[in-house]
C-alpha cells in the first residue's frame, strides 16, 4: 500500500498544506489566509488538499504540523518547529542545501544544517517586525499599490530611496513623508525591499553562510528581493520553483511524516 | 490681555503627532497655549501653531520678542530665534510646572523619554526609545486604529476593565495582530485596552529605572492627557505621578523659558 503524508504549515499570514507520497512526489497543495481561527484554517486547507489529491484523511499515515500556530492544528499527529520543517523541505528540493533563509509575513529565520538535516545554528527576528513581509504589506497599502504590483513597480527604480528607521512603524512614517516630498513611488518601493533584504542579511550573517543557501518564504514572491540577496551574497543560492516558495516548510513537514511517521510525540 | 505684561516670549514644540506652542509674559506666566496636528510639513505646522497662539491672545507677531523652537529627531525644525533640544525643553518645562520634579517621563506620539533633572531644570541623565515604536503613544494609536475607536476615548473605556489581557508582543506591528486575535477570541474591548495600557506603562518603568527613578515624577507629553495611563503608571511605581492641564505642553513651555532667558540676557547686556 502506498503511504501518504500531509504537512500543515500554520504561518502568521497563511496556512499551507502539502500532501506527498512515500517517494516524495507532490500530490496536492493548498493555501489560505490563517485569520484568527488557525485550527479552522488548517482543517479547511487540509480538506481542500485531500480533495485535490483524491484522498481521504484516513489515507494519510502521518499529519505533521508546523508554523507558529502548529499546536492549534487538532488533527496533527505530531508538531515540528518551522526550522526543522524548512530544513527537511529544503533538502528534499535541493539535496546539497546547507542553509535556509526564510522571509515570512512576520518572521525572518535563518538556519544552517548538516547533511542529515540536523540544525547547527539558527537565528530568528523574534520580537520585531522590522524587515518582515508585514512591513512590505503596510508599505504597499500606504502607497495604494496592490501586492501583485510591488515587484513591477520596484523594478523601475534607478535610485532606491534609503529608509533610515529600523522600526517598521517609524519606517511607515518615513515612507509617508517621502511620498509627501514627491519621491518617485518606484524608488520608495525599492527602498523598502532593500531595507527588508538588509535586515534579513543581518540575521543570516549571525548564523553564518553555508552553501547552498535555499531562499523560502512569501516575501521572495517579489523577485526583486531574491535578486538583491543574490547581489549581496557570495554563496550559491537556490530558489524553489513552481510557486513552492511558501510551501517549503509544509513540504518538509510532510517529508518528516513519510520518514519518521506520525507517532513520535513532541 | 491686561493681566499679562510684555515683553512676551514663546516656545514652539513640533512633535511627531502634534505641534504645541506656549506664550509667556514678562513674569514667566503662561499667557496662552495652542496645539494642532503636525501633519507632514513640519515648518508649516510650526508657523500655523504660532499664528493660532497669537490670534488666541490677540497679539501681533512683533510683540513676541523671542521665539524658541524644539522638535523631534531628524525633523528638528528651524523655527524661531533659537532652537533647543526637546530633552532640555521637557526637563525645564516639567520643573517649571512642578518644582519638586526630579524625574520626567515624556510620552509622545513616537518616542518615550525618561529624564532625571536637577532642581534648576537642568538635565542630569536621560534614556529614550527612539528606534522602536514599542511603549510610545504610537502603540495606543495603533490599538485605537485596529479597534476603530477614537484615540481620546481609549482611557475611559480601558478604565472600566476588570480582567486585563496580557499583551505579550513588544513590537507595535505584532501587537496589532495580537489585539485582533484577542478580539477574535471574544475578549472584551475594555480588557484588551487595559492590557495595552499596562504593556506601555511597564515599558516606561524600565526606561525610568535606567535613569534612576527619583521622586517626584512628572509625566509630560501628549499621552499625559490619558488618565488610564496615569493610573497604570501610579500603580506600577507605587507613587503619585504629577500631571496637569499643561503637561502636554511641557516641551513648548521649556522652549519658551529658554527664549525668555535669552531675551533677559540680551536686555541686561543692553543696559548701561
Amino acid at each position: 500500500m502506498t503511504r501518504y503524508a500531509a504537512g500543515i504549515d500554520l504561518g502568521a499570514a497563511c496556512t499551507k498544506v502539502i500532501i506527498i507520497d512515500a517517494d516524495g512526489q507532490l500530490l496536492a497543495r493548498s493555501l489560505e489566509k490563517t485569520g484568527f481561527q488557525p485550527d479552522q484554517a488548517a482543517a479547511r486547507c487540509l480538506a481542500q488538499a485531500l480533495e485535490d489529491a483524491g484522498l481521504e484523511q484516513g489515507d494519510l499515515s502521518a499529519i505533521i504540523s508546523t508554523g507558529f500556530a502548529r499546536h492549534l492544528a487538532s488533527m496533527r499527529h505530531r508538531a515540528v518547529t518551522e526550522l526543522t520543517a524548512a530544513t527537511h523541505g529544503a533538502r528534499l528540493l535541493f539535496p546539497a542545501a546547507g542553509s535556509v533563509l526564510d522571509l515570512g509575513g512576520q518572521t525572518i529565520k535563518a538556519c544552517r544544517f548538516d547533511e542529515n538535516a540536523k540544525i547547527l545554528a539558527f537565528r530568528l527576528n523574534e520580537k520585531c517586525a522590522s524587515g518582515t513581509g508585514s512591513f512590505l504589506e503596510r508599505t504597499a497599502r500606504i502607497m495604494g499599490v496592490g501586492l501583485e504590483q510591488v515587484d513591477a513597480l520596484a523594478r523601475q527604480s534607478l535610485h532606491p530611496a534609503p529608509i533610515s528607521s529600523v522600526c517598521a512603524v517609524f519606517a511607515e512614517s518615513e515612507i509617508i513623508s517621502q511620498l509627501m516630498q514627491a519621491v518617485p513611488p518606484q524608488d520608495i518601493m525599492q527602498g523598502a525591499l532593500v531595507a527588508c533584504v538588509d535586515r534579513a542579511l543581518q540575521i543570516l550573517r549571525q548564523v553564518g553562510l553555508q552553501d547552498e543557501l535555499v531562499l523560502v518564504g512569501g516575501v521572495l514572491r517579489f523577485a526583486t528581493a531574491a535578486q538583491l540577496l543574490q547581489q549581496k551574497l557570495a554563496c550559491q543560492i537556490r530558489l524553489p520553483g513552481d510557486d513552492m516558495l511558501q510551501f517549503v516548510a509544509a513540504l518538509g513537514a510532510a517529508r518528516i511524516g513519510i520518514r519518521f511517521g506520525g507517532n513520535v510525540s513532541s | 490681555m491686561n493681566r499679562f505684561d510684555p515683553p512676551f516670549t514663546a516656545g514652539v514644540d513640533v512633535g511627531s503627532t502634534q505641534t504645541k506652542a506656549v506664550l509667556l509674559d514678562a513674569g514667566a506666566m503662561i499667557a496662552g497655549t495652542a496645539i494642532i496636528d503636525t501633519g507632514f510639513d513640519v515648518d508649516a505646522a510650526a508657523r500655523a501653531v504660532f499664528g493660532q497662539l497669537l490670534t488666541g491672545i490677540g497679539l501681533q507677531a512683533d510683540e513676541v520678542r523671542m521665539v524658541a523652537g524644539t522638535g523631534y529627531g531628524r525633523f528638528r525644525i528651524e523655527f524661531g530665534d533659537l532652537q533647543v533640544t526637546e530633552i532640555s525643553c521637557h526637563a525645564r518645562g516639567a520643573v517649571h510646572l512642578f518644582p519638586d520634579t526630579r524625574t520626567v517621563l515624556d510620552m509622545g506620539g513616537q518616542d518615550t523619554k525618561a529624564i532625571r533633572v536637577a532642581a534648576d531644570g537642568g538635565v542630569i541623565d536621560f534614556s529614550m526609545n527612539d528606534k522602536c515604536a514599542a511603549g510610545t503613544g504610537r502603540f495606543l494609536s495603533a490599538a485605537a486604529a485596529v479597534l476603530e475607536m477614537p484615540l481620546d476615548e481609549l482611557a475611559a473605556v480601558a478604565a472600566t476593565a476588570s480582567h486585563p489581557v496580557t499583551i505579550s508582543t513588544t513590537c507595535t506591528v505584532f501587537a496589532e495582530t495580537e489585539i485582533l486575535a484577542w478580539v477574535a477570541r471574544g475578549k472584551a474591548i475594555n480588557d484588551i485596552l487595559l492590557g495595552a495600557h499596562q504593556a506601555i506603562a511597564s515599558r516606561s518603568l524600565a526606561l525610568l529605572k535606567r535613569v534612576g527613578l527619583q521622586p517626584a515624577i512628572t509625566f509630560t507629553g501628549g499621552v499625559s492627557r490619558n488618565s488610564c495611563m496615569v493610573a497604570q503608571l501610579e500603580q506600577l511605581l507605587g507613587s503619585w505621578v504629577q500631571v496637569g492641564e499643561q503637561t502636554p505642553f511641557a516641551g513648548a513651555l521649556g522652549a519658551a523659558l529658554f527664549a525668555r532667558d535669552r531675551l533677559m540676557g540680551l536686555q541686561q547686556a543692553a543696559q548701561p
Side-chain angles (χ1 to χ4, degrees), chain B residues 155-227:
Chain B
V157 174
T160 64
S162 46
H163 299 93
V165 303
T166 303
I167 307 281
S168 56
T169 43
T170 307
C171 174
T172 303
V173 174
F174 295 166
E176 281 178 24
T177 313
E178 194 178 344
I179 286 170
L180 286 174
W182 281 120
V183 173
R185 268 178 260 170
K187 285 283 173 188
I189 300 291
N190 57 356
D191 288 336
I192 298 172
L193 278 176
L194 184 56
H197 281 78
Q198 287 178 341
I200 301 172
S202 66
R203 279 193 71 85
S204 322
L205 184 67
L207 210 55
L208 284 166
K209 281 182 175 162
R210 228 180 287 165
V211 297
L213 190 51
Q214 279 177 24
I217 300 154
T218 299
F219 184 21
T220 67
V223 186
S224 69
R225 276 188 289 254
N226 181 312
S227 57

Side-chain angles (χ1 to χ4, degrees), chain B residues 36-149:
Chain B
I36 60 165
D37 286 340
T38 300
F40 299 108
D41 188 341
V42 290
D43 284 317
R47 285 191 296 275
V49 82
F50 187 60
Q52 193 175 308
L53 184 71
L54 295 176
T55 316
I57 203 94
L59 278 183
Q60 298 300 315
D62 57 7
E63 292 177 82
V64 182
R65 300 280 301 282
M66 189 72 71
V67 182
T70 186
Y72 72 112
R74 59 191 177 278
F75 296 123
R76 183 158 295 134
I77 58 156
E78 298 294 325
F79 185 81
D81 306 301
L82 70 154
Q83 283 87 39
V84 190
T85 72
E86 71 258 41
I87 306 273
S88 302
C89 288
H90 271 277
R92 184 79 189 273
V95 169
H96 187 77
L97 291 171
F98 298 101
D100 59 347
T101 301
R102 289 301 170 268
T103 310
V104 180
L105 177 66
D106 167 41
M107 202 181 286
Q110 284 204 356
D111 56 25
T112 298
K113 315 175 191 76
I115 314 166
R116 194 148 56 85
V117 296
D120 65 356
V123 175
I124 297 173
D125 192 11
F126 73 94
S127 182
M128 65 188 290
N129 74 324
D130 52 356
K131 293 203 173 72
C132 169
T136 69
R138 214 27 207 272
F139 195 94
L140 282 181
S141 51
V146 296
L147 296 171
E148 294 177 347
M149 285 177 67

